[in-house]
Amino acid sequence: MTQVTLIQAINQGLRQAMKTDPDVVLMGEDIGVNGGVFRATDGLYKEFGEARVIDTPLSENGIVGMAIGMALYGLKPVAEIQFMDFIYPAFDQIVNEAAKFRYRSGGQFPCHVVIRTPFGGGIRGGLYHSQSTEQLFASTPGLKVVIPSTPADAKGLLLTAIHDEEDPVIFLEPKRIYRTATGEVPEGDHRIPFGKARVVKEGSDVTVVSYGAMVPQSLQAVNAVEKMGVHAELIDLRTLVPLDYETVLRSVEKTGRAVIVHEASKFAGFGAELSAIISERALYHLKAPILRIAGYDTPFPYALENLYLPSVDRIARGIERTATAT
Amino acid sequence: MSAAVAGLVPLPYGREDLPGLLGPNWEEWLRTAYRWMLLGRVLDTRMLGMQRQGRVGFYGPATGHEAANVGLALSLRKEDWVFPGLREQLVALARGHPLGQYVHHLFTNGVDPCKGRQMPCHPTAREVHYVSMSSTVGSQIIHAVGCAYAMRLRKDPGAAVACFGDGATSTNEFHAGMNFAGVYQLPVLFFCANNQWAISLPVSKQTRVPVLADKAGEYGFNGVRIDGTDVIAVFHTVRAARERLAEQGPTLVEPLVYRMTPHTSSDDPTRYVPKGWMEEAAAHDPLTRLEELLDRTGVLAVTARETLRQELETELRKLIAEAEVTPPPGPDTLFVDTFRDTFWPLTEDRDSFDREQGGHFP
Ligand SMILES: Cc1ncc(C[n+]2csc(CCOP(=O)(O)OP(=O)(O)O)c2C)c(N)n1
Ligand SMILES: [Mg+2]
């Protein structure tokens, strides 16, 4: 086991998949010669050649549409969209095509494409290099939505997406922690099943549910409130679809309090779904209102991004308030 | 600074050609064009340096694009609308957007006309019909077409200009924009600054068509490639095309330029640029080419140019000093402009802001 960053883990995962399965192909803008603008595909063009590490013209719907065609024939395309902010030109291909192929063909045509894309703020990218719109994909039946927050999960979930899945997977990479999240990653093949949340830290007073770059942020907040005697349990969902609602409910039944943290806008965000599930199934265990801590209901700012993104401070206050509400 | 640079490709004009091309005030025209081009270069040099020092968050230079931008700006009319791509900031300035405001924007402070919402180098200048830009490559091309339709419906004299790079010709919006403009025969100028790269992808790997201007024919109108590092050629071609738009419908102009810097301050071109590219680009440096012509025609001597450069640098230094100490936008700006009116849940977001973010958690 070696210590690597999240982006290196993704690179290792891609290399591993390419080595073991000749059907795996990578495609996207600047992913070949340049190794990807974040270097996710660094070295792979040299190792596997231009036929399997494909530099495409600038067309996201071209990239996804072509990946779908490859997948229908049996390849395992892994497409990179350079930033999630630029995935919308491909929205039709993702929502109307990839998500519906299996259904509309009565199961004859599964559509196993993996679409990787960096997402989220905190890198001074302004409104077109910071968006988190996971809810758009999570609310589209037919798409699986994966969001790792550690290097080991990034590799393990990616290899599961490529090797074990047969459905379209939207693989969202929290770019803010590409280089700051470090950890040990198992060598070789390593898989993390979909639909199994990770309990990051156990606690008895309040449940904190999060994913992506907000997991390390929430962990800092959880550690901060611990000094004030509040023991919070932190859950990293890992996959939004399929959702491990059982782990969430089990925790809320224990603590009676729930805080949901994501950086996407709050209104109709993924937190709304979590909040609904908790209300529907654990209402009688609740000792305080559910709290959502999220981005504001505006486009993503540039100069004021630190005020927009849930800060450790804001999360800690929210946890404390929820834990002590009577 | 001497203009005699080894390998430089001189502009193909002599003194005798210029009155015919630029009119009787050709000397004045050249001085104006040079001033704007030099401003672009001075800005790029200074701001890239400041980006490296961490004093601005990001910078997207247009070094190599100066002649294309200035030639375009000087050939348009006041009533025309510009839908910029990624590198036309100089067009906004040459159309009259105040440099001071642009510098405030680069520092994304409280005086930035777009309230610090966009990354630097994304100016918005409604007063000169320079439309707010998106980072989403290609998105603006079809907007120009809609604008041109509106202009014609109202019988207004303006034209719409869609600016974009070679990379954008692979997008849906390029196809939709070219197709719609052809169908409705609209007064749209498609201005495709082909700097031969879409980040790391050379134009030869973006399309099988060697000359991008040739794509226009497939949509039923004219396209022409020009030397985009020759400010006179750009001016001359675009002005003539501009005059014909109302009767003839759309035109595509493809100025061929050289991207002389990294794609942006975030890019490392040593990973993909082949040997010799930088030398070839330098031989087509639009500024040096113009300087060589200024020397040959005796319009603006080296010393006068040096004085001009110093003036521009001094002005810029002053504006930067001001912008750097101007406070960032206030937190209240977070909650306006999403809609015309601020209603729930935005009102609650705003009200919770003080409660959630005031003071400091221990
Ligand atoms: C739709 C979209 N996809 C990807 C990107 C990321 N990106 C920014 S600039 C660029 C290349 C643009 O090339 P070109 O159109 O030639 O303009 P240039 O930068 O060369 O002026 C890419 C891929 C983007 N901004 N928008
Ligand atoms: Mg280009």
Side-chain angles (χ1 to χ4, degrees):
Chain A
M1 301 250 256
T2 48
Q3 286 275 333
V4 300
T5 63
L6 201 152
I7 189 77
Q8 287 168 332
I10 286 165
N11 183 262
Q12 286 184 7
L14 292 171
R15 177 176 284 108
Q16 172 72 22
M18 301 273 303
K19 268 203 306 224
T20 49
D21 188 343
D23 281 341
V24 176
V25 295
L26 311 183
M27 55 199 297
E29 295 158 14
D30 306 287
I31 69 155
V33 178
N34 196 33
V37 297
F38 288 102
R39 309 291 178 246
T41 51
D42 196 17
L44 303 181
Y45 181 84
K46 260 216 179 94
E47 191 169 339
F48 299 104
E50 63 178 356
R52 289 181 68 205
V53 182
I54 308 167
D55 265 328
T56 69
L58 201 165
S59 171
E60 286 72 18
N61 98 309
I63 293 167
V64 175
M66 184 164 153
I68 290 172
M70 293 171 159
L72 295 175
Y73 196 73
L75 291 187
K76 293 180 175 176
V78 182
E80 175 178 300
I81 300 296
Q82 203 165 83
F83 287 85
M84 186 183 205
D85 315 64
F86 307 131
I87 203 168
Y88 315 113
F91 205 55
D92 181 54
Q93 286 294 335
I94 296 171
V95 172
N96 269 335
E97 304 305 320
K100 294 175 176 54
F101 248 109
R102 179 187 294 278
Y103 183 81
R104 80 181 188 216
S105 64
Q108 292 182 62
F109 285 101
C111 185
H112 179 207
V113 292
V114 177
I115 301 170
R116 297 179 36 247
T117 189
F119 85 117
I123 61 151
R124 302 215 14 111
L127 71 175
Y128 293 115
H129 299 84
S130 308
Q131 296 176 33
S132 300
T133 51
E134 60 275 11
Q135 74 277 10
L136 300 180
F137 301 92
S139 66
T140 299
L143 301 177
K144 292 190 172 168
V145 180
V146 180
I147 305 180
S149 78
T150 67
D153 280 4
K155 181 175 176 186
L157 290 164
L158 184 60
L159 287 174
T160 300
I162 296 170
H163 293 311
D164 300 334
E165 286 297 313
E166 289 183 8
D167 294 310
V169 178
I170 308 294
F171 194 90
L172 302 177
E173 302 171 0
K175 60 177 172 293
R176 176 192 197 172
I177 56 170
Y178 260 160
R179 292 184 170 80
T180 55
T182 55
E184 296 199 330
V185 174
E187 310 275 349
D189 197 8
H190 162 62
R191 304 193 196 179
I192 304 276
F194 284 13
K196 290 252 179 300
R198 181 172 68 98
V199 177
V200 180
K201 186 176 167 107
E202 289 188 27
S204 52
D205 298 339
V206 51
T207 300
V208 180
V209 185
S210 192
Y211 49 84
M214 285 296 121
V215 171
Q217 193 90 335
S218 298
L219 183 59
Q220 281 187 51
V222 163
N223 290 335
V225 296
E226 193 164 39
K227 297 195 189 98
M228 308 173 65
V230 173
H231 300 281
E233 178 149 298
L234 176 60
I235 296 173
D236 174 1
L237 289 177
R238 283 177 164 161
T239 62
L240 307 191
V241 182
L243 178 66
D244 183 2
Y245 63 95
E246 285 164 327
T247 296
V248 174
L249 291 176
R250 213 177 305 123
S251 177
V252 174
E253 283 164 11
K254 176 174 75 176
T255 63
R257 299 167 196 270
V259 174
I260 298 156
V261 187
H262 60 57
E263 60 178 273
S265 299
K266 187 200 279 185
F267 188 79
F270 195 73
E273 180 61 34
L274 291 169
S275 176
I277 292 170
I278 295 168
S279 322
E280 285 165 1
R281 302 185 180 221
L283 185 69
Y284 298 127
H285 291 89
L286 288 179
K287 298 180 223 161
I290 300 164
L291 179 68
R292 285 178 286 160
I293 300 172
Y296 296 118
D297 298 296
T298 71
F300 198 94
Y302 176 80
L304 301 181
E305 77 168 340
N306 290 335
L307 297 183
Y308 178 94
L309 286 166
S311 61
V312 172
D313 205 65
R314 195 164 136 208
I315 302 168
R317 278 164 193 266
I319 297 173
E320 212 258 283
R321 192 147 43 93
T322 304
T324 54
T326 46
Chain B
M1 219 183 69
S2 165
V5 172
L8 185 77
V9 180
L11 291 174
Y13 316 105
R15 235 188 124 80
E16 62 289 357
D17 305 316
L18 297 172
L21 288 165
L22 300 171
N25 296 327
W26 62 274
E27 296 192 38
E28 188 53 35
W29 190 95
L30 283 179
R31 278 192 286 267
T32 305
Y34 180 69
R35 185 188 176 280
W36 288 118
M37 288 170 60
L38 185 61
L39 173 66
R41 188 63 59 94
V42 164
L43 256 171
D44 281 359
T45 310
R46 183 92 175 98
M47 296 315 297
L48 268 179
M50 296 201 72
Q51 197 280 335
R52 273 187 230 108
Q53 298 166 0
R55 288 161 73 185
V56 286
F58 165 88
Y59 193 73
T63 306
H65 286 243
E66 294 92 343
N69 283 336
V70 172
L72 173 67
L74 297 181
S75 63
L76 296 180
R77 301 195 203 149
K78 221 179 154 95
E79 62 266 28
D80 297 342
W81 280 46
V82 178
F83 290 78
L86 302 172
R87 300 189 200 273
E88 286 78 27
Q89 297 78 7
L90 198 49
V91 176
L93 297 174
R95 278 177 70 78
H97 183 53
L99 180 61
Q101 280 193 29
Y102 181 53
V103 173
H104 280 301
H105 160 67
L106 291 174
F107 285 85
T108 60
N109 63 29
V111 186
D112 171 4
C114 72
K115 303 179 188 163
R117 302 236 174 87
Q118 294 244 48
M119 289 168 81
C121 295
H122 291 59
T124 296
R126 192 172 176 114
E127 77 283 4
V128 294
H129 303 156
Y130 186 91
V131 176
S132 168
M133 60 184 276
S134 168
S135 310
T136 313
V137 168
S139 55
Q140 74 283 9
I141 299 174
I142 186 73
H143 303 160
V145 175
C147 177
Y149 195 101
M151 287 168 160
R152 193 175 63 185
L153 190 69
R154 286 195 178 166
K155 302 195 167 38
D156 287 339
V161 184
C163 301
F164 50 96
D166 46 292
T169 63
S170 296
T171 65
N172 289 1
E173 285 82 359
F174 172 76
H175 168 67
M178 296 283 283
N179 192 40
F180 281 37
V183 168
Y184 302 119
Q185 284 294 292
L186 295 169
V188 185
L189 179 79
F190 295 94
F191 190 77
C192 177
N194 177 1
N195 65 7
Q196 312 181 51
W197 295 96
I199 308 187
S200 69
L201 197 68
V203 72
S204 60
K205 291 193 171 172
Q206 298 171 27
T207 173
R208 201 72 185 170
V209 180
V211 176
L212 298 174
D214 290 349
K215 294 183 182 234
E218 302 301 314
Y219 294 95
F221 53 88
N222 287 330
V224 56
R225 172 183 278 188
I226 52 173
D227 180 347
T229 63
D230 172 349
V231 67
I232 296 167
V234 176
F235 171 74
H236 208 255
T237 312
V238 174
R239 197 180 50 171
R242 167 69 190 85
E243 296 314 312
R244 288 192 306 265
L245 289 178
E247 311 89 66
Q248 283 194 10
T251 302
L252 171 68
V253 176
E254 178 200 358
L256 186 71
V257 302
Y258 291 78
R259 202 189 78 199
M260 298 177 67
T261 57
H263 170 68
T264 64
S265 53
S266 319
D267 179 42
D268 173 13
T270 60
R271 295 175 70 96
Y272 57 80
V273 162
K275 252 183 70 192
W277 162 262
M278 285 312 291
E279 289 71 23
E280 197 189 329
H284 293 85
D285 181 337
L287 200 70
T288 323
R289 292 185 81 192
L290 183 56
E291 284 170 349
E292 192 271 341
L293 183 73
L294 294 176
D295 282 345
R296 256 195 293 130
T297 52
V299 171
L300 201 59
V302 180
T303 49
R305 298 203 299 265
E306 196 43 46
T307 309
L308 180 61
R309 177 188 289 273
Q310 278 166 16
E311 277 168 24
L312 292 174
E313 278 172 354
T314 306
E315 186 189 358
L316 188 59
R317 207 170 306 121
K318 191 180 115 250
L319 295 170
I320 288 172
E322 251 168 58
E324 224 175 355
V325 297
T326 303
D332 49 312
T333 62
L334 274 175
F335 305 106
V336 294
D337 297 332
T338 296
F339 296 103
R340 185 191 60 192
D341 307 314
T342 301
F343 53 90
W344 189 90
L346 271 161
T347 43
E348 196 174 306
D349 284 352
R350 187 189 57 206
D351 295 344
S352 71
F353 182 86
D354 260 349
R355 177 162 38 83
E356 288 183 353
Q357 305 217 45
H360 193 76
F361 198 79

